[in-house]
Amino acid sequence: MALLAYPAAAQNSEINDSEASGLDVPAPPSDANLPVIDPVITDEEFEETVPDLDPSSDPALDAPLESIEEFERRIASEQADAEPTEGQAAPLGDPVLADGDTTEEIGDAPIRDAELTAPLPPLEQFEVEPVEFAQEENDDEVIEVAYAVQINGLEVADEETESSLRDQFDDLSALEDGDGEAANVAQVSARLTEDSALMQRILAAEGWYEARSATRIDRSNEVNGQPLTAVIEVVPGSRYTFSDIIIDADRTEPPGLIRDNLALQVGEPIVAARVQGAEAQVAVTLPENGYPFAEIGQRDILLDQETGDGVYTLPVTTGPRSRFGEIRTTGNLAFDADHVEVLARFESGELYDSRMVDDLRQALVATGLFNTVSVLPEQSGEPAGDGTEYATIVVEQEAGPPRTLAGSAGFGTGQGFRIEGSWTHRNLFPPEGALIARGVAGTQEQGAGLTFRRSNAGQRDRTFQVTAEALHSDYDAYEAFTGRLSALISYDSTNIWQKPFTYAYGVQLIGTNEQDYDFTLQDLDRRTFFIGGLIGQIGIDRTNSLLDATEGFKVTALIEPEGSLQDGFTPYVRARLDGSAYFSPTDALTLAGRVRVGTIQGIDRFDLAPSRRFYAGGGGSVRGFGYQQLGPRVILDNPDFDPDDPDETADPFIYRPLGGRSLNEAAAEVRYRFGNFGVVGFVDAGQVYEDSLPDFSDLRFGAGIGGRYYTNFGPLRIDLAMPLDRRAGESKFAVYVSIGQAF
C-alpha cells in the first residue's frame, strides 16, 4: 500500500506549486481522513541536527546581494588573473571581443588576425580575374553524351555456364537499354553503378557468390572526350558447388519420392534457376502422387568460403497421404455436385492426383457457364485405410450469364455473301441443357433452325442434340426448299478441349423439293424427295490446333446409310474420307496438305436428290473454281441474254453442274507467318465423277495466293485463286474470305 505524505505548508496553501504550473495532481486528503503515523524522528532531534545560522557568526549572511553586472565583472577579473590549467589555452585578454564589449549575449569573434578588422577596399578598386581553362573553350554546348559498354573478366565464367551471362546482362542492363546515349556523364555513372550491382546478382545466380566488380568511365581523345566508355571490371572468384543435399521431411510412399524428383546433385554448381526448377518439380510431383497438402519450405544453403562448398537443406511438409473423397460445391451454382461427378475422371477412393483435379477444372471451364470456377482439395480427417485419409474436392462456382449472341460472315465467289447469327441459352434446362435459335441470310442461302443440346449428357464430353430446320438454297447446281429433323449423339472437340478421338452417330429425316435437270425432258424439273437415314462418323485428330494447325495430322471418315422413300424404298450409302497433315520446318514456315475421296453406292444419280450428291469447287474445296462448279454439267440457254442488244455482257449460256456419285480432291499449301500477318501460296486439284468410284481422270487445278491476319481466336483468311487451263463458263479468278485456315 503506497502512502502519500503532504507537508503542512502545502496543505494550508490556497495555491500550491502544482496548481500554479497547471499540472493536474490529486488534492491532498483532509486531516479527518489521514491515518495516525508515528514520526521518524522527534522535533528535538531535528532541531539539534540543523546547523545554527546566526548572522553574528558570518556577516556575509546578512550582506545584500551584489548586482548581476558586478557579479559578471568579478568573475571575468578572477578568470583573467587565474593561471591556465594544464592543456588549457591562455585567455585572450581584455578586451575579449572585437567591439570592446566585455559582455554580450552573443559575442563577436575573438581578434586573432589584424586583417579581419581591416576595412574593405572600395568597389571600384576590386579586381576580378577570369578563370582560365586548361583547354580552349568550345562554343558547341554538349547536350547529350555518347558511350559504349565494355565488360572485362567475364569470359572465363561465361564458358562454364549453359546460358550466356553476357546475354543475360544485355537483356537487363540499364546501360544497354540507353542505346549508348545519356543526358550527361552523371547519368552514365548512375547506370554504370546499377549495372555493376546487376552483374554481381547475375554471377551469384550462377554460383559465384563472392564475385566483385569495379567500374570506371574512360574518355576518348575525341572532342569533349566522347564517346565515353563505361567499363565494368569483373572478378568472379570461385564458383560454389553442392557438397551435400539434405531433405528435411517425413517418410513418403513410395520412399525417396522427394529426393528422386529433386534434380540436384552433389558436385554440381549452385545455380539459382536449377534450384528453383528442382523445387518446383517436387511441388508438382507430391500432389500428383497422393500428397495434395504438401508445402515446400524455405531452403537453406550454408556456404563455406574456404572450400567453396554449399550444404543445401530443403524442409518439406508432406501432409497426409490422401485419396479422393466426396465432391462438394458452393457459390452461385450453374449445376450441382452430381453433375460435377459426371465431369470428373476420377472415382472416390482413388489415390489423389492433382492432374485429375486440373482436368476437372478444365472441363468445368469448357462448359462456358462460369465467370469463375475453382477446384481445390480440403482435408476431411476421415481415414481411408492404408495410412491415407479422404480429401474433399471443393468446387467453388460463380455462374456467368447463360445467354449468348453470336454471328459470322463470309464471302465466296459463286457462293456469294453469307451471314449467320444465333441466340443461345446455354443452361435453360440444367444441367447444361441449351436451346439454340439459328438463322442464315445470304445471296444463295436462307433459313432458320432450332436446336436442343445437352452437353456432357450422362457421360463426360458426350453431347445429345435434336435439330429442326428449314432451309432455302439457290445454287447453280440446284434450288431446294428443305426441311430436316435430326437427332445426334457426338463426342466432339471444342476450342478449349481438343480431343484426339471423336465420333458421332444419329438419325435424320429429310423432306426436300428440288429443281434438277431431267434428261428425258431436256429441261429443268422440280421433284420432291423424302429421305431417311443414319449418320456415323469417326475422327482422329493429332494436330496441335483446331483452327491453325502447324504440326500433326487428322483423319475423318463419314458414313451415311440412307434410303429414298418416294416410290418405294431405295437404300444407298454415302461415304467420305478426309485427311490432312501439317509440318513446320521452322517457326515461321508450315507445309500443309489435304486429300478427300467420296463415293455413293447403291443408287443412280438421277434417283438421288441433287442436294445429296457430291460437288467440288469453292473455298473449302478446289479454290479457283466457283462453288460446286466442277464435274459433269449441262449447258442451257440463258433466258436473260438478249442477242439483239449490242451492249449485252451476260454469258449466252448457263453452265449447270449436275453433281456426281464420287469425287477426289487434293490441296497443298506453303504458309509463311511474320508476326500477326502471314502469306500463303497454294495449289488445289479435284474432280467429280458420275460413276460411283473416282477414277482420278480429268483433274482440274487451281492456284493462288492468300493473306492471313492472326487473331487470338484464329486466323482471318483472304484467298485469291484462278483456275488453270480455264474452260468456257469458268471465272478468271475467285475470292474467298473466312475465319480459319482453308483446312
Side-chain angles (χ1 to χ4, degrees):
M1 179 175 181
L3 299 178
L4 297 178
Y6 291 86
Q11 296 179 30
N12 297 329
S13 174
E14 293 182 358
I15 300 177
N16 58 34
D17 293 339
S18 297
E19 292 172 335
S21 64
L23 297 176
D24 186 11
V25 299
S30 63
D31 294 342
N33 297 326
L34 288 176
V36 177
I37 301 175
D38 294 334
V40 178
I41 62 175
T42 63
D43 292 341
E44 292 79 5
E45 291 175 331
F46 176 78
E47 293 294 341
E48 292 176 359
T49 304
V50 176
D52 185 18
L53 300 179
D54 186 2
S56 61
S57 61
D58 189 357
L61 294 175
D62 258 352
L65 295 175
E66 61 183 339
S67 65
I68 294 177
E69 291 79 2
E70 292 173 345
F71 173 77
E72 290 177 345
R73 282 195 297 269
R74 180 171 59 81
I75 295 302
S77 176
E78 292 175 356
Q79 290 179 347
D81 295 337
E83 292 294 333
T85 60
E86 183 178 355
Q88 180 181 5
L92 296 177
D94 189 21
V96 177
L97 304 176
D99 57 3
D101 294 338
T102 57
T103 59
E104 280 189 2
E105 293 183 3
I106 301 178
D108 298 326
I111 301 173
R112 295 183 183 274
D113 191 344
E115 287 296 328
L116 294 176
T117 61
L120 292 174
L123 290 176
E124 60 270 11
Q125 298 179 9
F126 190 78
E127 297 182 1
V128 179
E129 295 292 337
V131 177
E132 295 185 3
F133 292 90
Q135 57 185 2
E136 296 183 2
E137 296 183 66
N138 192 335
D139 293 334
D140 297 331
E141 183 180 359
V142 178
I143 303 300
E144 292 184 347
V145 295
Y147 64 86
V149 181
Q150 179 179 325
I151 299 177
N152 300 327
L154 189 62
E155 296 79 7
V156 175
D158 223 344
E159 292 177 357
E160 297 184 28
T161 60
E162 297 179 359
S163 59
S164 171
L165 298 179
R166 181 57 193 265
D167 288 347
Q168 294 182 46
F169 175 82
D170 291 344
D171 290 341
L172 302 172
S173 166
L175 288 168
E176 295 293 347
D177 190 53
D179 295 328
E181 294 183 354
N184 47 52
V185 178
Q187 189 175 59
V188 178
S189 178
R191 293 175 182 174
L192 184 58
T193 301
E194 181 180 342
D195 281 359
S196 175
L198 170 65
M199 180 60 72
Q200 290 179 301
R201 292 196 302 270
I202 291 175
L203 287 167
E206 293 291 335
W208 284 278
Y209 289 98
E210 294 182 347
R212 291 178 287 112
S213 61
T215 62
R216 69 175 188 272
I217 298 177
D218 293 341
R219 296 179 178 269
S220 68
N221 295 325
E222 304 296 329
V223 178
N224 296 322
Q226 295 191 49
L228 306 176
T229 302
V231 182
I232 300 179
E233 297 283 352
V234 181
V235 181
S238 60
R239 195 179 192 188
Y240 284 80
T241 58
F242 290 114
S243 62
D244 195 8
I245 297 176
I246 302 172
I247 307 298
D248 183 8
D250 294 334
R251 179 182 175 87
T252 60
E253 182 62 38
L257 179 62
I258 299 176
R259 186 64 188 93
D260 293 344
N261 288 277
L262 184 68
L264 300 176
Q265 299 297 328
V266 172
E268 72 177 30
I270 304 175
V271 179
R274 285 186 54 81
V275 172
Q276 293 171 348
E279 293 173 356
Q281 178 62 34
V282 172
V284 170
T285 300
L286 286 172
E288 289 178 351
N289 290 271
Y291 294 93
F293 310 107
E295 295 182 0
I296 307 299
Q298 178 61 46
R299 78 187 74 87
D300 179 72
I301 302 178
L302 181 62
L303 302 177
D304 189 332
Q305 294 180 336
E306 295 183 358
T307 63
D309 292 337
V311 177
Y312 172 87
T313 303
L314 180 66
V316 179
T317 303
T318 59
R321 191 164 184 251
S322 303
R323 299 183 181 275
F324 287 113
E326 67 170 343
I327 294 177
R328 178 164 52 86
T329 186
T330 61
N332 181 16
L333 304 185
F335 42 74
D336 58 20
D338 290 340
H339 191 63
V340 176
E341 291 181 1
V342 172
L343 299 177
R345 296 189 191 275
F346 54 82
E347 299 290 339
S348 178
E350 292 180 1
L351 188 65
Y352 183 92
D353 188 338
S354 60
R355 290 167 293 189
M356 294 296 99
V357 176
D358 293 339
D359 174 82
L360 175 58
R361 183 184 301 107
Q362 188 174 10
L364 290 167
V365 171
T367 65
L369 297 177
F370 302 100
N371 279 333
T372 59
V373 61
S374 65
V375 184
L376 296 171
E378 183 180 272
Q379 287 185 249
S380 68
E382 181 183 355
D386 195 23
T388 64
E389 67 176 45
Y390 288 109
T392 302
I393 305 302
V394 180
V395 178
E396 178 69 28
Q397 302 184 29
E398 182 58 40
R403 299 171 183 82
T404 300
L405 289 174
S408 63
F411 171 80
T413 302
Q415 192 175 3
F417 287 99
R418 186 178 188 275
I419 300 174
E420 181 175 351
S422 65
W423 173 90
T424 303
H425 192 301
R426 298 187 302 277
N427 205 29
L428 184 60
F429 308 99
E432 295 193 77
L435 185 65
I436 305 167
R438 170 179 168 269
V440 178
T443 53
Q444 293 180 303
E445 187 177 6
Q446 309 86 38
L450 194 65
T451 299
F452 167 76
R453 182 185 65 204
R454 174 81 70 187
S455 301
N456 298 300
Q459 178 182 320
R460 166 80 174 267
D461 300 325
R462 183 172 64 186
T463 301
F464 170 74
Q465 69 178 33
V466 177
T467 300
E469 62 181 0
L471 185 67
H472 172 244
S473 304
D474 187 8
Y475 300 118
D476 291 343
Y478 59 87
E479 181 190 8
F481 294 90
T482 303
R484 178 173 173 267
L485 180 65
S486 67
L488 190 70
I489 295 175
S490 62
Y491 179 87
D492 294 322
S493 290
T494 68
N495 291 335
I496 297 177
W497 194 267
Q498 184 176 352
K499 304 176 183 66
F501 176 78
T502 60
Y503 64 83
Y505 58 90
V507 297
Q508 62 180 347
L509 295 174
I510 300 173
T512 178
N513 179 268
E514 303 185 4
Q515 187 186 61
D516 187 24
Y517 185 79
D518 190 330
F519 281 90
T520 302
L521 301 176
Q522 294 291 303
D523 201 357
L524 298 176
D525 186 30
R526 280 197 168 275
R527 291 185 293 161
T528 299
F529 299 86
F530 296 98
I531 303 167
L534 304 176
I535 302 171
Q537 178 177 302
I538 58 173
I540 298 175
D541 188 347
R542 297 295 182 180
T543 63
N544 59 348
S545 174
L546 289 174
L547 293 177
D548 186 24
T550 58
E551 295 287 348
F553 70 93
K554 57 183 175 182
V555 178
T556 303
L558 173 67
I559 300 177
E560 295 178 311
E562 295 180 352
S564 179
L565 303 179
Q566 74 275 18
D567 299 329
F569 179 73
T570 304
Y572 60 92
V573 176
R574 301 175 77 249
R576 193 183 72 208
L577 181 67
D578 292 87
S580 58
Y582 310 88
F583 172 68
S584 296
T586 68
D587 292 339
L589 187 65
T590 299
L591 307 178
R594 177 185 70 88
V595 295
R596 171 183 291 172
V597 292
T599 180
I600 300 176
Q601 301 285 335
I603 192 172
D604 292 334
R605 183 182 65 179
F606 181 75
D607 295 329
L608 187 63
S611 61
R612 305 301 293 167
R613 300 171 187 171
F614 285 131
Y615 298 90
S621 178
V622 183
R623 287 163 290 184
F625 299 90
Y627 181 64
Q628 299 180 337
Q629 289 296 320
L630 289 182
R633 60 181 183 172
V634 293
I635 302 175
L636 304 176
D637 292 332
N638 186 355
D640 297 329
F641 178 77
D642 185 359
D644 299 326
D645 184 358
D647 298 327
E648 179 64 72
T649 58
D651 195 311
F653 302 104
I654 295 176
Y655 301 87
R656 188 177 185 92
L658 297 175
R661 293 186 295 163
S662 64
L663 88 160
N664 50 240
E665 294 177 0
E669 287 190 349
V670 178
R671 304 170 183 171
Y672 181 75
R673 178 172 179 173
F674 47 97
N676 290 329
F677 297 90
V679 62
V680 176
F682 57 86
V683 176
D684 295 350
Q687 187 58 280
V688 173
Y689 305 93
E690 182 177 355
D691 294 337
S692 60
L693 292 175
D695 58 18
F696 302 96
S697 63
D698 192 28
L699 289 176
R700 303 299 311 280
F701 293 87
I705 190 171
R708 302 290 185 270
Y709 176 69
Y710 293 89
T711 68
N712 58 357
F713 55 85
L716 173 66
R717 76 178 177 108
I718 302 177
D719 288 340
L720 174 65
M722 61 183 63
L724 303 182
D725 190 21
R726 186 168 64 92
R727 299 175 183 177
E730 294 177 345
S731 300
K732 295 181 179 180
F733 63 90
V735 178
Y736 311 95
V737 181
S738 68
I739 295 176
Q741 299 285 7
F743 57 90

